[in-house]
Amino acid sequence: MSQYYSENSFFKRVFETVRLIPVGKVSTYGAIAAFIGSPGAARMVGWALNKSGAQSVYVPAHRVVNRNGLLSGKNHFAGERIMQEMLENEGVKIDNYMVKNMKKHFWDPNKELK
DNA sequence: CGTCTGACGCACG
DNA sequence: GCGTGCGCCAGAC
């Protein structure tokens, strides 16, 4: 997995992993934390995404949801509905801020990347 | 260096 | 199945 990182800081790794999430797919905070070598640091992933907007590169933070498929980060976008709308525009069905078919849309870096 | 802070996750009741 | 409590750990101060 180190081949995917240009830098080793925790934040950078979060950003770079999130950028690998394909359009129409979503991942979870826990899965990303585990992938970058800090299982249990799911909260840090969310915190890192808070600063994702300040990054020079685009970070699709809207494709990261919690393990239930809930758009727990919606309040951190310009508007509460922005996150849901962006996902729906990418083909992800959302119902009341919840990804409808997580099994179908879930993208696990631990399995997809090697 | 001690504390506080979370866009989380899990264990429990 | 839902609410509550707590451990998690990198970074800001």
Side-chain angles (χ1 to χ4, degrees), chain A residues 73-88:
Chain A
K74 66 182 188 303
N75 294 317
H76 294 269
F77 286 81
E80 248 193 19
R81 304 190 156 271
I82 303 299
M83 187 173 183
Q84 172 168 341
E85 290 174 358
M86 290 180 81
L87 285 172
E88 292 185 322

Side-chain angles (χ1 to χ4, degrees), chain A residues 45-105:
Chain A
V45 175
W47 190 27
L49 290 181
N50 249 328
K51 298 174 58 181
S52 64
Q55 296 302 302
S56 55
V57 292
Y58 176 61
V59 180
H62 60 282
R63 294 183 193 142
V64 185
V65 299
N66 73 8
R67 71 176 301 291
N68 300 308
L70 179 66
L71 279 52
S72 53
K74 66 182 188 303
N75 294 317
H76 294 269
F77 286 81
E80 248 193 19
R81 304 190 156 271
I82 303 299
M83 187 173 183
Q84 172 168 341
E85 290 174 358
M86 290 180 81
L87 285 172
E88 292 185 322
N89 286 337
E90 296 181 352
V92 180
K93 295 294 190 301
I94 310 289
D95 179 54
N96 193 31
Y97 302 119
M98 279 274 260
V99 176
K100 279 189 174 179
N101 191 340
M102 265 304 273
K103 188 166 186 178
K104 176 183 177 183
H105 296 292

